[in-house]
Amino acid sequence: MLEEAADHVEVVRRLWDSWEDDAEIRDVASGRFIDRDKLHHIGFEGRHFSVKGPSITPRPPQGQPLVTVSAPAGGPPRLVADSADLVHIAPRDAREARALTRAVLDARSAAGHPEGSGRVFADLVVFLDDGPGAAAARLGRLDDLAGEPLAAGAHVFAGTPGELADLLADWHRAGGPGGFRLLPGVLAHDLPALTRALVPALQRRGLFRRAYGPPATLRGLLGLPRPAGRYATT
């Protein structure tokens, strides 16, 4: 399955590159929409499928959309090392966050990716309330209703927005992930709490932007380079 997934990623990356950036002419006077010399067959032949190409749509504004992969607990497989721009890890504490981050970055380096070409984000399941102990009590009630503790596959945090901001800062400063994917424990309650309470707490600590500006793509906001088209003739 991982081999097939890696082939799938390779195919879509080739298809994203199959149009050169300036392949679109859009010349009304001559009636030409594209420069056919700047469209390329990808000619992929793999064990699971083959694709001739090119893509039916132009190259995306950010060159290639992000490919994100969740790293398994047993270590980063080839799919993580070779194929991902953004890798999600699920550490239990700051020490494990540092170790998993290092393992992913080392695997990418061994696969030939330059430093700074990928990002590692940690997953946390979040229960947020303003009052001390309120989030933990709410999680306890939910566990009682379910008849067992929450099995989330990631670190479960229950506390105040300020406590969560401190935890994220501690994990990052300890050499851990460069970012976080925060999963609301209860969507209707905890998602608004993340945006209305956690973001200001992070901003007060200088850990979150106060405005969005150029570059306008997700790659740019994450500080990732725009990939060059592999088939470009110039």
Side-chain angles (χ1 to χ4, degrees):
M1 182 178 293
L2 288 176
E3 181 182 353
E4 184 175 356
D7 282 354
H8 172 82
V9 173
E10 177 63 20
V11 165
V12 295
R13 286 195 188 278
R14 292 190 190 191
L15 288 173
W16 289 329
D17 286 350
S18 63
W19 289 51
E20 296 186 33
D21 287 324
D22 57 350
E24 294 179 81
I25 301 173
R26 300 195 180 202
D27 184 1
V28 176
S30 65
R32 298 177 68 205
F33 176 69
I34 59 173
D35 182 346
R36 295 185 63 85
D37 291 334
K38 295 189 176 183
L39 268 63
H40 304 277
H41 293 103
I42 68 170
F44 178 85
E45 294 285 345
R47 177 182 174 186
H48 303 281
F49 48 82
S50 61
V51 178
K52 183 177 180 181
S55 172
I56 61 173
T57 57
R59 194 165 193 247
Q62 56 186 343
Q64 296 179 6
L66 289 185
V67 174
T68 67
V69 174
S70 293
R78 184 171 71 89
L79 181 63
V80 170
D82 291 349
S83 304
D85 300 301
L86 175 60
V87 178
H88 295 284
I89 58 175
R92 291 166 293 187
D93 52 36
R95 181 178 180 180
E96 189 171 35
R98 181 174 62 252
L100 290 175
T101 299
R102 188 70 265 159
V104 169
L105 296 178
D106 287 347
R108 287 184 55 80
S109 178
H113 294 287
E115 185 177 354
S117 64
R119 294 288 179 268
V120 180
F121 278 18
D123 288 352
L124 284 86
V125 178
V126 173
F127 294 83
L128 282 184
D129 284 291
D130 290 330
R138 178 161 58 92
L139 175 58
R141 292 193 298 271
L142 292 172
D143 287 342
D144 290 341
L145 289 171
E148 59 183 1
L150 174 64
H155 179 78
V156 178
F157 173 89
T160 67
E163 290 169 342
L164 178 56
D166 290 338
L167 181 144
L168 300 181
D170 289 344
W171 283 25
H172 180 67
R173 282 195 298 263
F180 298 88
R181 179 170 62 173
L182 304 179
L183 311 173
V186 177
L187 192 63
H189 182 103
D190 296 300
L191 180 57
L194 286 170
T195 58
R196 297 171 187 170
L198 176 63
V199 168
L202 291 170
Q203 289 172 334
R204 288 192 294 271
R205 292 162 171 79
L207 300 174
F208 198 82
R209 62 175 66 88
R210 294 184 177 272
Y212 286 89
T217 66
L218 180 57
R219 278 187 176 276
L221 291 172
L222 293 178
L224 293 173
R226 186 181 190 273
R230 71 185 71 191
Y231 304 111
T233 55
T234 59

